[in-house]
Amino acid sequence: MGGSSFSDISPLSRIRKWFKRIDRYSRIVDIGEISRRYFVINSFDGALSMIGVILGAKIAGIENPLSVIWLGLSIALTMGISGFSGAYIAEKAERTRYIKEMEAALATKLTNSILNEACRTASFLIAVIDALSPVVVSLVSIIPFVLAYFGMLTMDAAVFLSLAIICALIFLLGAFLGRISRESWAAYGLKMLVIGLITAAILVLVEHLR
Amino acid sequence: MSCMGESEDVQISVNKVVIDSLKPKDLPLVELSRSLCSIDGVHAVNIIVTEVDARTETIKITLEGSNIDYDAIPKVMERCGAVIRSIDEINITKSARKR
């Protein structure tokens, strides 16, 4: 009779519908470009913060892997919450302004329009990406300390491995930017890596000057 | 014969509607066309951009089909964020209702 049964709204088909809707929205408002920008900026933020946490812990003489894990988790949580709320509020403000300008240009209300829905979804999605990117980077970079906690690595090896993972992530972020700009991915990767290494060097230098 | 001039034995069918409309520039024509094409009775949608402004575009929409659900047009347009400025042309035919 045209009504949908429970089998029609299986989780998989719901997800498929959701992705279809996002694809439709992304053709109306810009989601991809801003998401990419937020992803790179916040992943880079997360990576540099984790360099700070790991080197800071090493310099402070913390030998307990659990302490570093907790530090990493708190950084991930803080950056996640700050990323989501900051990006959501900022995006929402920009999109609301856009809708209001559009309403003035069209001399009509756009409350129930697909344009308004697309703007709301875009703000939410961008905020989620902004929140998740530093969280993922932070969580990945503390994996060696989890291994150290279970006695599979020494603390020094965990520090070394964690820094290596962060450097690799930073390089990959740079390479991603290189691909977007259609220039040399290696050059972009190296540029980003140099910034990460300079940050680490400054941290070590500050410690020596202390 | 009813007060609307429609006999019970005849069917009044809207076959063509030409609309002068204003739409947000960011709304793709394909998106609007697809939505309009989903209206009952619409077989073809033709859109021509007649004017481009900084934020909006003036378009001429031609809907063709048989027995087009005329009342659904403003709803779909509103949903898409487009505004109807005027109905510039309409084609209606009368035929004997099938029993």
Side-chain angles (χ1 to χ4, degrees):
Chain A
M1 295 294 283
S4 57
S5 67
F6 274 109
S7 59
D8 292 338
I9 46 167
S10 66
L12 201 72
S13 68
R14 262 190 204 183
I15 292 169
R16 210 174 294 140
K17 265 186 186 172
W18 197 68
F19 272 107
K20 244 184 179 175
R21 204 186 301 165
I22 289 171
D23 182 48
R24 194 177 175 204
Y25 290 158
S26 67
R27 273 182 265 135
I28 299 169
V29 293
D30 176 32
I31 298 178
E33 193 187 319
I34 298 175
S35 304
R36 274 202 304 264
R37 208 175 297 152
Y38 273 121
F39 168 74
V40 173
I41 292 170
N42 264 28
S43 300
F44 192 58
D45 266 2
L48 288 195
S49 303
M50 285 313 289
I51 289 182
V53 166
I54 290 157
L55 281 181
K58 176 74 186 156
I59 290 165
I62 296 172
E63 285 301 321
N64 183 3
L66 202 59
S67 305
V68 183
I69 293 169
W70 280 121
L71 271 171
L73 287 177
S74 13
I75 288 281
L77 191 69
T78 314
M79 291 200 77
I81 293 169
S82 110
F84 183 85
S85 49
Y88 185 73
I89 293 167
E91 277 300 311
K92 188 99 176 37
E94 284 290 337
R95 310 259 170 184
T96 306
R97 179 193 152 135
Y98 166 77
I99 288 289
K100 285 196 172 155
E101 282 177 357
M102 218 35 130
E103 283 180 339
L106 293 165
T108 188
K109 283 275 166 205
L110 292 171
T111 321
N112 298 319
S113 70
I114 192 170
L115 206 66
N116 196 26
E117 267 174 32
C119 283
R120 267 185 296 164
T121 309
S123 305
F124 179 75
L125 269 182
I126 289 166
V128 168
I129 289 167
D130 200 44
L132 284 183
S133 40
V135 170
V136 171
V137 170
S138 307
L139 293 181
V140 169
S141 57
I142 58 169
I143 289 174
F145 293 98
V146 176
L147 297 178
Y149 177 71
F150 287 109
M152 294 155 92
L153 280 176
T154 63
M155 192 59 182
D156 282 341
V159 170
F160 179 77
L161 190 59
S162 185
L163 288 175
I165 288 172
I166 294 169
C167 287
L169 288 174
I170 290 175
F171 182 82
L172 284 176
L173 279 174
F176 177 62
L177 284 182
R179 268 199 69 170
I180 291 170
S181 64
R182 290 175 191 164
E183 287 186 17
S184 163
W185 58 269
Y188 266 85
L190 283 174
K191 259 185 228 170
M192 294 278 273
L193 189 59
V194 166
I195 298 167
L197 292 175
I198 288 172
T199 312
I202 291 170
L203 274 173
V204 175
L205 194 69
V206 166
E207 164 56 18
H208 280 288
L209 292 174
R210 199 164 56 128
Chain B
M1 190 177 276
S2 73
C3 61
M4 298 297 284
E6 188 179 347
S7 159
E8 284 175 9
D9 293 335
V10 294
Q11 186 182 8
I12 304 292
S13 168
V14 178
N15 300 321
K16 185 180 176 184
V17 184
V18 178
I19 304 163
D20 181 33
S21 166
L22 192 67
K23 76 160 192 68
K25 208 173 176 182
D26 294 327
L27 178 75
L29 285 178
V30 175
E31 193 61 43
L32 180 63
S33 314
R34 277 190 181 149
S35 302
L36 288 167
C37 219
S38 68
I39 294 173
D40 279 347
V42 174
H43 296 161
V45 177
N46 217 309
I47 301 182
I48 299 168
V49 179
T50 53
E51 204 181 316
V52 180
D53 285 325
R55 295 190 167 275
T56 57
E57 279 175 349
T58 305
I59 50 174
K60 197 168 269 288
I61 306 167
T62 308
L63 302 179
E64 284 177 305
S66 58
N67 203 10
I68 294 171
D69 183 1
Y70 186 78
D71 295 333
I73 299 170
K75 289 174 193 159
V76 171
M77 296 283 284
E78 187 193 1
R79 174 98 181 103
C80 290
V83 180
I84 297 176
R85 294 214 293 203
S86 60
I87 304 288
D88 291 351
E89 190 184 327
I90 195 154
N91 174 276
I92 289 178
T93 52
K94 185 170 82 172
S95 58
R97 199 186 290 273
K98 284 175 190 165
R99 286 178 185 265

